[in-house]
Amino acid sequence: MASLVSPSSLSVRLGENYGRRGGRAAALCVSQAGFSINSKDCSSSSFEAELKSVLSQRDILTARGINMPSSRPDNRLKIFSGTANLPLAKEIACYMGLELGKICIKRFADGEIYVQLQESVRGSEVFLVQPTCPPANENLMELLVMIDACRRASAKTITAVIPYFGYARADRKVVTVIQLFLSIYTSCDVFQTQGRESIAAKLVANLLTEAGANRVLACDLHSGQALGYFDIPVDHVYGQPVILDYLASKMISADDFVVVSPDVGGVARARAFAKKLSDAPLAIVDKRRQSHNVSEVMNLIGDVNGKIAVVVDDMIDTAGTIANGAALLRQEGARAVYACCTHGVFSPPAIERLSGGLFEEVIITNTIPVKESFKELTILSVANLLGETIWRVYGDSSTGFESHLGLGID
């Protein structure tokens, strides 16, 4: 019997007809189906002839429960990108073996946003990649106008792919026990003042829905309750597995790690991360926040002496919380401190704080484009994670695959 070409080498030849991802899938299908292709005779004509014979037997493949990809790209799936993070959108499209859709986005002299789709999306399933990162209002409005353009162009479904969801921190009204006590037993107006805060996360969710979005794909929302603000389906993926894979590649002994939550609110996230990191021990930084973007570290719960501390959070904004936590960890005898987060917002003076020598390495993902780098910074890509999720959403299959969504912290 002729020897079987390996799926990896076969996918290179198949990639010309099926695209990068389709080539891998087709090669794997041929291998799983038990067909053999003569690899000794590598001439192009004989290879293509035998391959054509194998791929023509789609009825046998279907009978064995193996789905072959179409030889032509599916025109019903289209990906467009806004201006907020074009490099990430290109990476996602490259992973999926697709080209980004043609779109014209410009601003008028008075700052108004103009969007025109330069190809038909009638009857297509459209995915719009646009994080609402700083400038948040500009990028959010751009996304809303893009959604409206797709809806008016008769797109079948519109999915807003939001790697970073701005306004996610404005997800509740802040009322403390002390404020409640003061409002009841004194004439202080603190409680009433806090009661007049907006819940902007719910407002943004309503705007996306009213603009015409049918589904939202978000990465590492600030809190689980934000999922309930949407009246449309939300696929919530986590960026921490990408960071876990990177840490595993550093070949550091699992006994040396201790996972640290920078505040009490992030304990669930840190505990899930520690469980995936060879069930590493957990420590918690007790923080007292005096006002927005200002924090003060008080004490540490747990032992970090002689350990490599991995501080885990969903985002780094001004880096006040994580820098104060790192200083405390150093005082408590931590051998090294790694900062890990999905979203690097990096509002001033974050760069100065992160590059001040407290951290061995600052590990983030590319959900937000980084304008200024420094030597401790490592940026990992979530393009494969988002691309695979888009394929699963498009194919109506589960997005709960272990390699990407195994943290389960909601």
Side-chain angles (χ1 to χ4, degrees), residues 119-161:
E119 60 182 78
S120 174
V121 296
R122 184 178 298 274
S124 300
E125 298 191 33
V126 177
F127 292 80
L128 305 176
V129 181
Q130 174 82 339
T132 53
C133 53
N137 298 333
E138 280 283 314
N139 291 329
L140 174 60
M141 190 62 196
E142 184 178 300
L143 175 60
L144 295 175
V145 178
M146 289 170 63
I147 293 173
D148 182 70
C150 292
R151 179 176 62 86
R152 296 180 185 278
S154 302
K156 181 180 179 181
T157 61
I158 305 170
T159 300
V161 181

Side-chain angles (χ1 to χ4, degrees), residues 294-346:
V294 177
S295 63
E296 180 182 356
V297 171
M298 300 299 292
N299 51 37
L300 178 69
I301 304 171
D303 182 25
V304 298
N305 188 29
K307 298 280 190 177
I308 297 176
V310 180
V311 186
V312 178
D313 209 347
D314 63 321
M315 70 175 70
I316 298 176
D317 189 359
T318 59
T321 296
I322 204 164
N324 290 339
L328 179 63
L329 294 172
R330 291 285 191 179
Q331 293 174 10
E332 295 293 329
R335 192 163 84 240
V337 180
Y338 286 78
C340 301
C341 79
T342 302
H343 311 298
V345 182
F346 293 169

Side-chain angles (χ1 to χ4, degrees), residues 168 234 247 276 282 352 374 377:
V234 179
L247 290 176
K276 293 292 182 181
L282 182 67
E352 290 78 4
F374 49 96
L377 183 64

